[in-house]
Amino acid sequence: MGVFLSGQGELPEYVRKRVVILGVGNRLFGDDGFGPSTVQLVLRSTDLPSDVSVLDVGTAVMPVLFDILLSDPGPRRLIILDTADFGKEPGELVRVPVEQLPQTRGGVFSLHTFSAGSLLQELKDRKGVEVIILACQAESISSEIKEGLSKPVEVAVSQAAQIVLEMARA
């Protein structure tokens, strides 16, 4: 068995699950905390299926994506929650197809890394993983430490948690 990028010598538990939900972002930068805040709410749900893994990955999504890519068989569905700027109304939720993700960090949606788009495409194409990206339009993402979500994004967290729970049960 290979060495997984998350630093574990054996297959991480989350890659054995049917569905993996990842909250991406940094709570210390305002609305960038949407992903982690949403997964925390999902984790408090009493009806979360046992074959679903929910992780707050912060800005370190790449090791988890590589673990999934290297696992066999791995999850069938990957749900990613992150903040984005699509020029929509603050708090608006947008489902982003993998094919529409920019391939570089200079794009609108980065998943906090320059190559996440191509890696997600590989998961979809090569491994057959259904990749769902649910992004929330930020009101603002602070460049300085500023904890707490804006009101519109705070409302979106509960909406996103319900959507994600429905997707996890399907």
Side-chain angles (χ1 to χ4, degrees):
M1 189 172 316
V3 176
F4 286 83
L5 293 178
S6 65
Q8 301 175 15
E10 62 182 61
L11 195 65
E13 181 65 29
Y14 58 82
V15 300
R16 295 184 183 119
K17 302 290 184 164
R18 178 182 59 85
V19 177
V20 175
I21 301 169
L22 304 178
V24 180
N26 188 333
R27 292 177 195 247
L28 296 177
F29 293 102
D31 287 347
D32 195 39
F34 164 77
S37 297
T38 304
V39 297
Q40 291 307 311
L41 188 55
V42 168
L43 283 168
R44 289 196 297 266
S45 172
T46 57
D47 60 345
L48 185 66
S50 61
D51 62 351
V52 175
S53 182
V54 183
L55 303 169
D56 174 353
V57 296
T59 59
V61 69
M62 290 305 283
V64 175
L65 295 179
F66 276 113
D67 281 353
I68 293 170
L69 182 65
L70 296 173
S71 67
D72 190 26
R76 291 193 319 238
R77 177 177 286 165
L78 174 63
I79 303 170
I80 299 173
L81 299 154
D82 200 358
T83 310
D85 183 1
F86 290 109
K88 306 278 187 185
E89 290 295 314
E92 189 172 337
L93 296 172
V94 179
R95 191 163 165 175
V96 183
V98 173
E99 295 79 14
Q100 291 181 11
L101 288 177
Q103 296 301 309
T104 64
R105 186 170 178 87
V108 174
F109 193 87
S110 70
L111 283 176
H112 300 267
T113 182
F114 71 94
S115 61
S118 56
L119 186 55
L120 291 171
Q121 189 68 50
E122 181 141 350
L123 282 170
K124 182 180 173 199
D125 294 344
R126 189 171 72 127
K127 298 236 352 155
V129 176
E130 178 187 10
V131 177
I132 299 169
I133 302 164
L134 186 62
C136 179
Q137 172 66 49
E139 183 172 85
S140 69
I141 296 177
S142 179
S143 58
E144 298 176 8
I145 293 179
K146 177 188 168 206
E147 289 188 66
L149 303 172
S150 65
K151 287 294 179 197
V153 173
E154 194 174 302
V155 169
V157 164
S158 26
Q159 294 170 342
Q162 288 304 314
I163 292 168
V164 165
L165 284 167
E166 288 172 20
M167 287 190 279
R169 288 190 288 264

